[in-house]
Every structure is written in C-alpha cells, then in structure tokens.
Amino acid sequence: MNRRTWMKTWGAVTPLPLLAGAAEKSRSNTVDVEIYRLKLRHTWTTTMASNDFRDEIQLRFTSEGITGHGEGAPIIRYKEDAVQNKAAVEAVRPLLTSADPRQFRKIIDEVFKQTQGNFAAKAAIDIALLDWFCQKQGIPLYRHLGLDSKDTPLTTFSIGIDTPEMTKQKVKEAEPYPILKVKVGLDKDESTMEAIRSVTKKPLRLDANEGFKSKEQAVEKINWLEKQGVEFIEQPLPAEMIEEAKWVRSKVHLPIFADESVLHPEDIPKIADTCDGIVVKLDKSGGIHEVLKMIDTARAFGKKIMIGCMVSSSVTITAAAHLSPLCDYADLDGNLLIANDPYSGVKVVNGKLILPERPGLGLVKA
Ligand code: MG
C-alpha cells in the first residue's frame, strides 16, 4: 500500500469512531420552540374570559434522529403567557441541547431548579423528553408508566357559557359524548341549566371556575344544582377562600373538586378539607412527573382524581390521556375545541379515550 492509498483508506474509515467518541462527549440535540395560535371552533367563555383563540407553545426536541413533541398552554389566571414561556425554554436551551435525554428525570429536576414559574414551559419540556424516551424504547407512554390502556376513563365534553339557543346547539353537537361538562358561575346559570335540560338527560359535571363570590351563595347554588342531575362541581369559590370552602363542603352533599386552588403537590394538604377530589393538569403543574406526584399525594389524602386540560392540541391531550388510567375521571377535550390541531393522537369513541399503540405519545401529523 502506497502512502496515498493508505491515507485514503485510513481517512475513509478511521474518523468515524473518533467522531462517535466526540459525540458522546458533546451532544448536539436540537430544540425548536414556537408560539402557536390555537383557533377555537366556538368563542370560549368561562367566568375568567371570552376568547376566539389561545396562544401557547409547541416544542420539538430532537436527538439521535428521534423527535419528541411537547406543548404547554399558559393561561392568564396563573399569570403566565406564551411569550414568557417561550423565553423560559430559551433560558434552559443549553441544558437541553447538551444533556443525555435518557436521563430525563435529572434534566427535568434541573429545569425546575433553574426556572421560576412558567409551568407551561416545564410541561412542554417534560412531555417532549418522555415522548422522546418512549419512542427510543419503542413503547407507548402508558406502558412506560406501567398502566393498562383499557383502564382509560370516559371523557366529558365541555359546553362553554353561551346564550340559551347556542347552548342547546352545542349540546346537540356533543351528541357522541355520554357525559357533559358545563361551565357555571355566572348570573345566567338558571337559564343555562334550563336550556341543557330541555335537550338532554345526560349526566353533567359542573365547573364554577371560582365564580361564586360568597360561601352562602355557593351553598345555595350547589343545593339547587344538585337537583339538576349533576355528578359533582369544580371550584365553587375563589382559590384563596380556603376556610369558606371547608364550610361549604360541610353544608352540601354534592362532591366538590378543587382545581384553581390546587396547582402543585404541596397545595394538597392545605386544601384537603375543602374537597372530595382534585383536578390535575399537565400545564398548571409543570408536566407528567409533577402530575404523578400530585396523584400519589392526593390518593394519600383519600381524594378522587380528575385529569383535566387547558385548550390544547393533541400533544398535551394525548400525554394526559396516557396518564388517565391512574385517574377516576377525565376531562380531556381541549383538542376537540380547536380548528387547527397540528397532530392527532388519542381518539374518543363514545366518550372512551382510546390510546395510540405507537411508541411515545403516538402522535401523527394531522
Ligand atoms: Mg376547572
């Protein structure tokens, strides 16, 4: 072999192991984060606001040729917005691009240490890393969590606050869903309930979104609503009215679920006497790992669990659906309320959540 041939052969073969060794030392994962505008099918009204769209963040984490998808939907109620949450992801970009995503738990703990607030951003990172890891392992997320996909609960379909005529139309559109969730807490609760009950006898779950302003009003309203074929009610009073909420619970029979008053695992002991169950959401707590902590903590206090959502695409809704076998109830319809879902994942058949069997979250482009 002459020198030129030797150089050619050596040059073609030898650098590969050297490069592979270098890649182990300094990874170059990529992180794409963008503000995405979810367009609502109907103007969405609760006690908090009325909107035609919601801005949120979509995140793609790519490493070793696999892309994990994450999403976070910030809401004003929790003093979060999409611009801040995108900036929060940018602030931990060096950590995400250099870390080994197999160590997802270590990365997430570090993200929580480095980031104040911005729980939607934390959720997006956490979901994307777990999607990546489960795709790498070739298993669906629910299997990684040790769950049975047959145990998913039925999901409710939400009816936003509207005129009686529109409310009736929305109830008709919700025909495939056996359980409805109804937003209450405004002056027109009586006409809303009358409109709904004129067209359906389906079980109803109510969400007051902190809409009742005194403990006496809450008791009076809940006692009236109990007679309307209602299973339970979420967050009757403002989150900070904890003593009043304990009093209300002692005066009514209808089960009460805490939502806005319980964002993180450490909130559970404080509100345990105000409710019979809690609502967990990936966006408000900061992702799958935080919700798992909340579920275990709430169970230790003997509470029921409902897994809920913000208005979101199929990324977050599918991630939450993979966790739903751990929960008693599901309220996972955020993706059904939007007109521009970029992905599809979990399906709903007669109200039952059907999990994808593909690896990771199991998303496909819409
Ligand atoms: Mg709620």
Side-chain angles (χ1 to χ4, degrees), residues 47 184-190 208 210-225 233 235-238 241 244 247-248 251-252:
T47 56
V184 294
L186 292 183
D187 295 341
K188 44 187 169 181
D189 291 349
E190 283 79 2
E210 312 177 276
F212 305 143
K213 296 304 174 204
S214 72
K215 59 183 184 179
E216 292 81 7
Q217 185 201 18
V219 169
E220 190 185 322
K221 285 273 202 171
I222 293 170
N223 284 333
W224 178 76
L225 290 164
I233 185 164
Q235 197 70 41
L237 287 172
M241 291 173 68
E244 292 87 341
W247 184 85
V248 169
K251 300 285 179 200
V252 301

Coordinates of all heavy atoms in Angstrom, one line a residue, residues 47 184-190 208 210-225 233 235-238 241 244 247-248 251-252:
T47 N -65.9 32.0 33.5 CA -66.0 33.1 34.4 C -64.7 34.0 34.2 O -64.7 35.1 34.6 CB -66.1 32.7 35.8 OG1 -65.0 31.8 36.1 CG2 -67.4 32.0 36.1
V184 N -70.4 26.9 34.8 CA -71.4 27.7 35.6 C -70.6 28.8 36.3 O -69.4 29.0 36.2 CB -72.3 26.9 36.5 CG1 -73.1 25.9 35.7 CG2 -71.4 26.2 37.5
G185 N -71.4 29.6 37.2 CA -70.7 30.6 38.0 C -71.0 32.0 37.5 O -70.4 32.9 38.0
L186 N -71.9 32.1 36.5 CA -72.3 33.5 36.1 C -73.8 33.6 36.5 O -74.4 32.7 36.9 CB -72.1 33.6 34.6 CG -70.7 33.6 34.1 CD1 -70.7 33.9 32.6 CD2 -69.8 34.7 34.7
D187 N -74.3 34.8 36.3 CA -75.7 35.1 36.6 C -76.7 34.2 35.9 O -77.8 34.0 36.3 CB -76.0 36.6 36.3 CG -75.2 37.5 37.2 OD1 -74.7 37.0 38.2 OD2 -75.1 38.7 36.8
K188 N -76.2 33.7 34.6 CA -77.2 33.0 33.8 C -77.2 31.5 34.1 O -77.6 30.7 33.2 CB -77.0 33.3 32.4 CG -75.6 33.4 31.8 CD -75.7 33.9 30.4 CE -74.3 34.2 29.9 NZ -74.3 34.8 28.5
D189 N -76.8 31.0 35.2 CA -76.7 29.6 35.5 C -78.1 28.9 35.3 O -78.2 27.8 34.8 CB -76.2 29.3 36.9 CG -74.8 29.6 37.0 OD1 -74.1 29.8 36.0 OD2 -74.3 29.6 38.2
E190 N -79.2 29.6 35.8 CA -80.5 29.0 35.7 C -80.9 28.8 34.3 O -81.4 27.7 33.9 CB -81.5 29.9 36.5 CG -81.5 29.8 38.0 CD -80.3 30.5 38.6 OE1 -79.6 31.2 37.9 OE2 -80.1 30.4 39.9
A208 N -67.5 25.7 38.2 CA -67.8 27.1 38.5 C -66.6 28.1 38.3 O -66.7 29.3 38.4 CB -68.3 27.2 39.9
E210 N -64.4 29.3 40.2 CA -64.3 30.3 41.3 C -65.4 31.3 41.2 O -65.3 32.4 41.7 CB -62.9 31.0 41.2 CG -61.7 30.1 41.1 CD -60.4 30.9 41.0 OE1 -60.0 31.3 39.9 OE2 -59.7 31.1 42.0
G211 N -66.5 31.0 40.5 CA -67.5 32.0 40.1 C -68.4 32.5 41.3 O -69.0 33.5 41.2
F212 N -68.6 31.6 42.3 CA -69.5 32.0 43.4 C -68.7 32.9 44.4 O -67.5 32.6 44.7 CB -70.1 30.8 44.1 CG -70.8 29.9 43.2 CD1 -70.7 28.5 43.3 CD2 -71.5 30.4 42.1 CE1 -71.4 27.6 42.5 CE2 -72.2 29.5 41.2 CZ -72.1 28.2 41.4
K213 N -69.3 34.0 44.8 CA -68.5 35.0 45.5 C -68.6 35.0 47.0 O -67.8 35.6 47.7 CB -68.8 36.4 45.0 CG -68.4 36.6 43.5 CD -67.0 36.3 43.2 CE -66.7 36.3 41.7 NZ -65.5 35.5 41.3
S214 N -69.5 34.2 47.5 CA -69.6 34.1 49.0 C -69.9 32.6 49.3 O -70.5 31.9 48.5 CB -70.6 35.0 49.6 OG -71.9 34.5 49.3
K215 N -69.6 32.2 50.6 CA -69.9 30.8 51.0 C -71.4 30.6 51.0 O -71.8 29.5 50.6 CB -69.2 30.5 52.3 CG -69.7 31.4 53.5 CD -68.9 31.0 54.8 CE -69.5 31.9 55.9 NZ -68.9 31.6 57.2
E216 N -72.2 31.6 51.4 CA -73.6 31.4 51.4 C -74.2 31.2 50.0 O -75.0 30.3 49.8 CB -74.3 32.6 52.1 CG -74.0 32.8 53.5 CD -72.7 33.5 53.9 OE1 -72.0 33.9 52.9 OE2 -72.3 33.5 55.0
Q217 N -73.7 32.0 49.1 CA -74.2 31.9 47.7 C -73.8 30.5 47.1 O -74.6 29.9 46.4 CB -73.6 33.0 46.8 CG -74.1 33.0 45.4 CD -73.2 33.7 44.3 OE1 -72.0 33.9 44.6 NE2 -73.8 34.0 43.2
A218 N -72.6 30.1 47.4 CA -72.1 28.8 46.9 C -73.0 27.7 47.4 O -73.4 26.8 46.7 CB -70.7 28.5 47.4
V219 N -73.4 27.7 48.7 CA -74.2 26.6 49.3 C -75.6 26.6 48.6 O -76.1 25.6 48.2 CB -74.3 26.8 50.8 CG1 -75.4 25.9 51.4 CG2 -73.0 26.4 51.5
E220 N -76.2 27.8 48.5 CA -77.5 28.0 47.8 C -77.5 27.4 46.4 O -78.3 26.6 46.0 CB -77.9 29.4 47.9 CG -79.3 29.7 47.5 CD -79.5 31.2 47.4 OE1 -79.0 32.0 48.2 OE2 -80.3 31.6 46.5
K221 N -76.4 27.8 45.6 CA -76.3 27.4 44.2 C -76.1 25.9 44.1 O -76.7 25.2 43.3 CB -75.2 28.1 43.6 CG -75.4 29.5 43.2 CD -76.1 29.6 41.9 CE -75.9 31.0 41.3 NZ -76.3 31.1 39.9
I222 N -75.2 25.4 45.0 CA -74.9 23.9 44.9 C -76.1 23.1 45.2 O -76.4 22.1 44.6 CB -73.7 23.6 45.8 CG1 -72.4 24.3 45.2 CG2 -73.5 22.1 45.9 CD1 -71.2 24.2 46.1
N223 N -76.8 23.5 46.2 CA -78.0 22.8 46.6 C -79.1 22.8 45.5 O -79.8 21.8 45.3 CB -78.6 23.3 47.9 CG -77.8 22.8 49.1 OD1 -77.2 21.8 49.1 ND2 -77.8 23.6 50.2
W224 N -79.2 23.9 44.8 CA -80.1 23.9 43.6 C -79.6 23.0 42.5 O -80.3 22.3 41.9 CB -80.2 25.4 43.1 CG -81.1 25.5 41.9 CD1 -82.4 25.4 41.9 CD2 -80.7 25.7 40.6 NE1 -82.9 25.6 40.6 CE2 -81.8 25.7 39.8 CE3 -79.4 25.8 40.0 CZ2 -81.8 25.9 38.4 CZ3 -79.3 26.0 38.6 CH2 -80.5 26.0 37.8
L225 N -78.3 23.1 42.2 CA -77.7 22.4 41.1 C -77.7 20.9 41.3 O -77.9 20.1 40.4 CB -76.2 22.8 40.9 CG -76.0 24.2 40.3 CD1 -74.6 24.7 40.5 CD2 -76.4 24.2 38.8
I233 N -69.2 19.2 41.3 CA -68.9 20.6 40.9 C -67.4 20.9 41.2 O -66.9 20.5 42.3 CB -69.9 21.6 41.5 CG1 -69.6 23.0 40.9 CG2 -69.8 21.6 43.0 CD1 -70.7 24.0 41.2
Q235 N -64.5 23.7 41.9 CA -64.0 25.0 42.3 C -65.1 26.1 42.5 O -65.2 27.1 41.7 CB -62.9 25.5 41.4 CG -62.1 26.7 42.0 CD -61.2 26.2 43.1 OE1 -60.5 25.2 43.1 NE2 -61.1 27.0 44.2
P236 N -66.0 25.9 43.4 CA -67.1 26.9 43.6 C -66.6 28.2 44.0 O -67.2 29.2 43.5 CB -68.0 26.3 44.7 CG -67.5 24.9 45.0 CD -66.1 24.8 44.4
L237 N -65.7 28.3 44.9 CA -65.2 29.6 45.4 C -63.8 30.0 44.9 O -63.0 29.1 44.5 CB -65.2 29.5 46.9 CG -66.5 29.5 47.7 CD1 -66.3 29.2 49.2 CD2 -67.3 30.8 47.5
P238 N -63.5 31.3 45.0 CA -62.1 31.7 44.7 C -61.1 30.9 45.4 O -61.3 30.5 46.6 CB -62.1 33.2 45.1 CG -63.5 33.6 44.9 CD -64.3 32.4 45.3
M241 N -60.1 31.4 49.2 CA -61.2 31.3 50.2 C -61.2 29.9 50.8 O -62.2 29.1 50.7 CB -62.5 31.7 49.7 CG -62.6 33.2 49.4 SD -64.1 33.7 48.5 CE -65.3 33.5 49.8
E244 N -63.7 29.3 53.9 CA -65.0 29.3 53.4 C -65.4 28.0 52.7 O -66.5 27.5 52.8 CB -65.3 30.5 52.5 CG -65.2 31.9 53.2 CD -63.8 32.5 53.3 OE1 -62.8 31.7 53.1 OE2 -63.7 33.7 53.5
W247 N -66.2 25.3 55.0 CA -67.6 25.4 55.5 C -68.6 25.0 54.4 O -69.5 24.2 54.8 CB -67.8 26.9 55.8 CG -69.1 27.3 56.4 CD1 -69.4 27.2 57.8 CD2 -70.3 27.7 55.8 NE1 -70.7 27.5 58.0 CE2 -71.3 27.9 56.8 CE3 -70.6 28.0 54.4 CZ2 -72.6 28.3 56.5 CZ3 -71.9 28.5 54.2 CH2 -72.8 28.6 55.2
V248 N -68.4 25.4 53.2 CA -69.3 25.0 52.1 C -69.4 23.4 52.0 O -70.4 22.8 52.0 CB -68.9 25.6 50.7 CG1 -69.7 25.0 49.6 CG2 -69.1 27.1 50.7
K251 N -71.6 21.8 54.3 CA -73.1 22.1 54.2 C -73.8 21.5 53.0 O -75.0 21.6 52.9 CB -73.2 23.6 54.1 CG -72.7 24.4 55.3 CD -73.6 24.3 56.5 CE -73.0 25.0 57.7 NZ -73.6 24.6 59.0
V252 N -73.0 20.8 52.1 CA -73.6 20.3 50.9 C -73.3 18.8 50.7 O -72.4 18.3 51.3 CB -73.2 21.1 49.6 CG1 -73.5 22.6 49.7 CG2 -71.7 20.8 49.3

